[in-house]
Amino acid sequence: MPSAPEEGQSTALARNAVDCLPEGALAEKLDAARKDGRRLRVKLGIDPTAPDIHLGHAVVLGKLREFQDAGHLVVLIVGDSTAQVGDPSGRSTLRPMLSLQEIEANAQTFQDQALRILDPDPERLEVRRNSEWLGLGMTEVLRLMRTTTVAQMLERDDFAKRWSQAQPISMLELMYPLLQGYDSVAVRADLELGGTDQKFNLLLGRDIQRAYGQPEQAIMTMPILVGVDGRQKMSKSLGNHIGITDSPEEMYGKTLSIPDEAMGDYYRLLLHREPPTELGPRDAKRLLARELVGWLHSPEQAQAAEAHFDRVFVEREAPEQIEEASVQAGRDGMVHLPDVMAQALGISRSEARRLIEQGGVSLDEIPLSAGELDVAVDRAQGAVLKVGKRRFRRLRVS
RNA sequence: GGCGGGGUUCCCGAGCGGUCAAAGGGGACGCGCUGUAAACGCGUUGGCUCUGCCUUCGCAGGUUCGAAUCCUGCCCCCGCCA
């Protein structure tokens, strides 16, 4: 049995985790590592299938950071090779194929963004690409494939579900968990983290390590964070994400838009504490938004973001900083608004017309009426164009 | 290899010769309301030189006064059997 300090440490490190398996394995590993005077190698693999990291990733990255702060080494694997395969976890259909260029670009931003949360100290962080070792020859691939049976693969839920519903499962998808397991072999992981949807893959990594004569990693799964819709998991493709590089204003506003019920999860998983009971939901959420912006940007920017939000959405005034849009006057000395909006906002002229039609556009606080598509130069010059609730442009007639 | 089912607007999905820029849902956007970029309600959701015109229903041809709807060929996807 591990001694008390590791027991305590492992409990602390496993906080918020859904699974930490096998039972007691983490404490044992911490204990053994301490005795040998070495650090644990804590693995996380992320496939650069989308260009940005969001708060969902931040849950797991934050946990990794705790391991770093406890003196361990995080091995961050940017899955540039596996991204070409596509993780079938939680998927009901085959992922689309990404081009190498896209993957490379994503890989770079991923790495940069992850460092906003992780400690970059080389003693604490090792960043690897799995293309370093996944250029396997056929012999090696066959050896890898021999470690696992079809029955084992079909045990996993998403495959089982698809299988029973006679949905397709591609060979490529079957291959994915094996490659992820091979990553664990390549970096000799002591522990691998992931979301709960990764449980199968993480556990399979153990079997593969064993087959390669390595000690098996422990695994830890973290809860999946819901997106700003409060229903589905946070994901870029569902458009319900808060990116960790979102601007302070955007991050603040998106946070306030999460349903009250989701607040607890955000507090626990991202800020590692219970939501304040002494505050009402409104203030608790405002505090949450400030803290998140403070964490990923800075406390000063958090204050500014809140002030901006109050000004624009509570007081309904124009923000202090407004982007300029230079516009041309027509031959008749009028400014054609659909044109201006199309150019400045990247929408179609038809859409711009519709917005005006529906009373969604105002010029210096005065709503435009339906059909008011052209405006005199004097009125446009220097005026603030407001489209919807949150898009502002100061017009500069040239 | 054989048999069968499909490819529709951002997504899912109806339509199966005119009344179709195409039902319904989701999402997004706008307005109202609100502590909120929430919830709820109403509305909008191909483009444009906008009471009309142009382009869209896998691709290419064809039939027809008229095609998302019928025919031919091609491409792609799915299932079953082997």
Side-chain angles (χ1 to χ4, degrees):
Chain A
M1 270 285 98
S3 54
E6 282 70 23
E7 189 89 31
Q9 196 190 13
S10 86
T11 307
L13 287 170
R15 193 175 36 140
N16 281 335
V18 176
D19 288 299
C20 185
L21 299 170
E23 200 75 26
L26 176 59
E28 278 167 39
K29 281 179 183 286
L30 287 166
D31 189 37
R34 189 183 51 82
K35 281 192 184 125
D36 303 348
R38 68 179 199 95
R39 297 161 300 178
L40 288 186
R41 295 175 64 77
V42 185
K43 173 197 173 197
L44 174 70
I46 306 186
D47 283 355
T49 45
D52 286 299
I53 290 188
H54 52 62
L55 292 184
H57 299 113
V59 173
V60 185
L61 289 169
K63 178 57 73 182
L64 287 176
R65 178 61 191 249
E66 289 180 48
F67 276 93
Q68 288 186 310
D69 292 341
H72 298 289
L73 177 79
V74 162
V75 183
L76 179 68
I77 298 177
V78 178
D80 57 347
S81 277
T82 38
Q84 294 175 67
V85 176
D87 185 3
S89 294
R91 283 249 158 187
S92 54
T93 50
L94 184 63
R95 284 177 185 272
M97 185 110 165
L98 288 166
S99 77
L100 285 174
Q101 290 82 345
E102 282 174 295
I103 291 171
E104 183 46 42
N106 292 345
Q108 191 55 51
T109 49
F110 254 68
Q111 196 167 323
D112 295 345
Q113 295 183 10
L115 291 183
R116 289 185 173 225
I117 295 175
L118 296 175
D119 181 347
D121 178 354
E123 292 289 298
R124 299 272 168 89
L125 178 67
E126 189 176 309
V127 180
R128 307 289 290 275
R129 301 284 180 93
N130 61 14
S131 56
E132 291 172 40
W133 54 79
L134 284 183
L136 304 175
M138 186 53 86
T139 313
E140 200 53 30
V141 172
L142 295 177
R143 180 179 171 199
L144 179 58
M145 289 177 79
R146 205 152 49 177
T147 61
T148 310
T149 67
V150 172
Q152 281 175 304
M153 284 309 236
L154 290 179
E155 260 179 65
R156 60 180 280 174
D157 240 43
D158 31 28
F159 284 156
K161 203 172 294 169
R162 285 206 238 166
W163 183 256
S164 69
Q165 293 175 357
Q167 295 284 311
I169 300 169
S170 87
M171 293 298 288
L172 196 63
E173 293 176 289
L174 248 21
M175 202 55 212
Y176 187 92
L178 297 179
L179 297 176
Q180 182 169 340
Y182 192 86
D183 285 348
S184 289
V185 172
V187 304
R188 310 189 78 85
D190 293 305
L191 171 68
E192 179 167 9
L193 266 65
T196 50
D197 56 352
Q198 285 289 312
K199 188 170 172 182
F200 178 93
N201 289 358
L202 302 183
L203 286 170
L204 190 71
R206 291 170 53 82
D207 298 334
I208 294 174
Q209 284 176 309
R210 189 183 330 120
Y212 277 79
Q214 282 190 13
E216 298 146 276
Q217 63 186 8
I219 71 144
M220 186 185 287
T221 61
M222 298 300 292
I224 301 294
L225 187 70
V226 293
V228 296
D229 56 7
R231 306 173 152 303
Q232 294 180 277
K233 75 171 205 173
M234 184 175 284
S235 116
K236 175 118 179 164
S237 53
L238 292 173
N240 62 359
H241 69 297
I242 300 178
I244 69 166
T245 54
D246 278 355
S247 71
E249 291 77 25
E250 221 171 324
M251 199 177 278
Y252 187 93
K254 283 185 184 174
T255 303
L256 278 198
S257 80
I258 65 175
D260 292 355
E261 310 79 68
M263 236 196 298
D265 278 352
Y266 277 63
Y267 264 102
R268 280 185 286 274
L269 299 177
L270 297 169
L271 301 179
H272 309 120
R273 63 170 202 249
E274 289 300 310
T277 47
E278 69 283 6
L279 297 179
R282 182 185 74 118
D283 292 318
K285 208 186 285 177
R286 285 169 68 92
L287 177 63
L288 170 67
R290 277 202 305 280
E291 298 270 322
L292 289 177
V293 177
W295 174 35
L296 294 165
H297 291 279
S298 71
E300 296 72 45
Q301 285 170 296
Q303 281 304 331
E306 181 160 274
H308 173 269
F309 186 88
D310 286 343
R311 191 181 160 92
V312 175
F313 298 107
V314 180
E315 312 297 332
R316 291 174 180 276
E317 284 174 29
E320 305 204 319
Q321 301 283 318
I322 302 179
E323 209 178 305
E324 288 208 344
S326 65
V327 306
Q328 316 278 318
R331 335 89 237 161
D332 53 358
M334 300 288 274
V335 172
H336 191 56
L337 263 7
D339 249 343
V340 175
M341 290 162 65
Q343 212 173 349
L345 273 13
I347 59 180
S348 74
R349 286 155 216 263
S350 296
E351 191 177 350
R353 277 165 179 276
R354 269 184 240 119
L355 287 167
I356 294 173
E357 206 73 31
Q358 295 175 74
V361 182
S362 66
L363 208 52
D364 275 339
E365 314 272 305
I366 304 164
L368 293 163
S369 46
E372 206 173 354
L373 303 178
D374 296 277
V375 127
V377 172
D378 326 349
R379 187 167 165 209
Q381 184 62 270
V384 174
L385 176 75
K386 181 183 184 189
V387 180
K389 284 183 197 163
R390 31 191 306 233
R391 286 176 288 187
F392 296 89
R393 286 291 127 74
R394 188 176 295 286
L395 301 184
R396 193 60 62 202
V397 181
S398 53

